[in-house]
Amino acid sequence: MFKSVVPVLAQVPAEICLGQQNRGMATLKAISIRLKSVKNIQKITQSMKMVSAAKYSRAERDLKQARPYGIGAQQFYEKAEVAPKEEEAKKLFIAITSDRGLCGAVHTGVARYIRGELAKDSNIKVICVGDKSRAILSRLYGKNIEMVANEVGRLPPTFLDAAKLCNAILNLGYEYTDGKIVYNKFKSVVSYEVADIPIFSLKSVEAAEKLPVYDSLDSEVIQSYLEFSLASLLFYTMKEGACSEQSSRMTAMDNASKNAGEMIDKLTLTFNRTRQAVITRELIEIISGASALESKD
């Protein structure tokens, strides 16, 4: 029977046979290339998840040690009941983000919070710690950005980094009355929230009603403490943001790996079905040719 098929196939135009074969092979090749690329992406996301898990463990340990810095500085403002003078309000917002992405909506949440405040008051000045917040805010509020601190997020933040940032803010030349440090507050490995910490100028602290509780303090002592407290708050918020970023990246890479696995299963099923369809079509052509030849004889 198979010998009799050859003359029948010879009567079919070569363009038709080659066209059908090429269409099937092209589809199989495209699916195979896509399947291979998704598998490579899954390997990358799994590796990034493992790296983020290790960095998260370290960031969580560092955060426990950094929390006393932030809590102590906040208690001073609360107990002294420091409040800004409304008639002279000049606000400054500090956005704590980083230069790195692939970590969910960590940076977007901080930028969205500040964007909402800028919509209410367009005179607010912003300092972006990390390039991600600058990229988001510069689209609509580029004129409000006073300074951008880059190279954030590659290494764990230290108190020296916070001190350098504090010195740059104080030497910026913008005399603010009050402001906020907007950051991501770490809650658990799968949860964080956007929070803010108030900051005040020397005049606002000196005008506080309950400042005499801390005995007699001159302007020089208060100024020195405000510089140290700002550096402490920046250090604390950078640690909170780093821990939230690593936990969010770990979760995001885990979800990406799962999605890649589901896509691999679907592409494998599609590849097998397409290959089976090509084989079935070729068998049908052979059998049809043999049947036509037998009926002709």
Side-chain angles (χ1 to χ4, degrees):
M1 183 182 71
F2 292 101
K3 292 182 179 180
S4 61
V5 174
V6 177
V8 177
L9 291 178
Q11 299 174 6
V12 181
E15 293 80 4
I16 297 177
C17 294
L18 291 175
Q20 292 176 348
Q21 187 178 7
N22 288 338
R23 282 200 300 271
M25 293 301 293
T27 305
L28 285 174
K29 187 175 181 181
I31 296 174
S32 179
I33 292 173
R34 189 177 180 188
L35 184 60
K36 185 177 180 180
S37 66
V38 174
K39 287 181 178 179
N40 292 335
I41 291 172
Q42 187 184 42
K43 291 179 182 178
I44 295 172
T45 55
Q46 288 175 344
S47 301
M48 291 186 67
K49 176 191 171 184
M50 295 174 63
V51 173
S52 298
K55 290 184 177 180
Y56 161 72
S57 299
R58 179 180 177 181
E60 189 178 19
R61 290 195 304 267
D62 294 344
L63 178 59
K64 293 179 181 178
Q65 300 174 359
R67 272 178 175 159
Y69 288 89
I71 295 173
Q74 292 180 71
Q75 286 182 349
F76 170 75
Y77 296 129
E78 293 175 359
K79 303 226 181 248
E81 295 185 359
V82 182
K85 296 180 179 180
E86 296 182 359
E87 64 274 8
E88 301 177 359
K90 292 177 66 177
K91 295 186 177 182
L92 177 69
F93 278 33
I94 304 174
I96 304 296
T97 57
S98 75
D99 295 347
R100 308 186 67 188
L102 298 176
C103 50
V106 170
H107 308 313
T108 308
V110 173
R112 188 185 297 115
Y113 179 94
I114 295 178
R115 196 164 52 194
E117 295 292 330
L118 288 172
K120 300 175 185 177
D121 185 2
S122 59
N123 295 322
I124 298 174
K125 298 299 181 181
V126 181
I127 293 176
C128 297
V129 181
D131 195 60
K132 288 296 181 179
S133 57
R134 180 206 60 80
I136 299 173
L137 294 174
S138 61
R139 299 169 187 169
L140 297 176
Y141 302 101
K143 63 180 181 179
N144 296 86
I145 298 176
E146 285 289 317
M147 187 182 74
V148 179
N150 293 325
E151 296 297 326
V152 180
R154 187 171 58 88
L155 297 173
T158 61
F159 192 85
L160 180 60
D161 297 332
K164 290 180 180 179
L165 178 61
C166 175
N167 187 51
I169 294 173
L170 295 175
N171 295 330
L172 191 61
Y174 180 72
E175 297 181 358
Y176 61 92
T177 57
D178 67 303
K180 292 180 180 179
I181 302 176
V182 185
Y183 67 104
N184 288 296
K185 187 175 183 180
F186 176 76
K187 296 177 68 176
S188 67
V189 68
V190 293
S191 176
Y192 62 89
E193 64 180 358
V194 178
D196 61 81
I197 296 177
I199 56 175
F200 302 96
S201 64
L202 177 62
K203 293 181 180 179
S204 299
V205 175
E206 289 178 341
E209 297 180 357
K210 293 188 177 181
L211 185 63
V213 173
Y214 294 91
D215 296 330
S216 58
L217 298 175
D218 56 9
S219 297
E220 185 177 352
V221 174
I222 296 175
Q223 179 65 30
S224 298
Y225 178 76
L226 287 180
E227 293 175 2
F228 175 75
S229 65
L230 179 58
S232 300
L233 290 173
L234 288 173
F235 175 63
Y236 163 67
T237 53
M238 289 170 73
K239 285 293 186 183
E240 287 274 6
C243 191
S244 301
E245 179 183 347
Q246 296 300 337
S247 64
S248 180
R249 182 176 289 111
M250 183 175 62
T251 304
M253 292 301 102
D254 183 43
N255 293 334
S257 299
K258 291 179 180 178
N259 293 337
E262 294 177 0
M263 188 175 293
I264 288 171
D265 294 339
K266 292 180 180 179
L267 287 173
T268 302
L269 182 62
T270 304
F271 178 83
N272 292 335
R273 285 179 174 175
T274 306
R275 183 177 61 180
Q276 188 65 37
V278 172
I279 295 172
T280 304
R281 185 173 65 248
E282 292 177 353
L283 288 175
I284 291 173
E285 291 173 355
I286 293 173
I287 295 171
S288 299
S291 300
L293 187 60
E294 290 179 354
S295 61
K296 187 176 180 180
D297 294 341

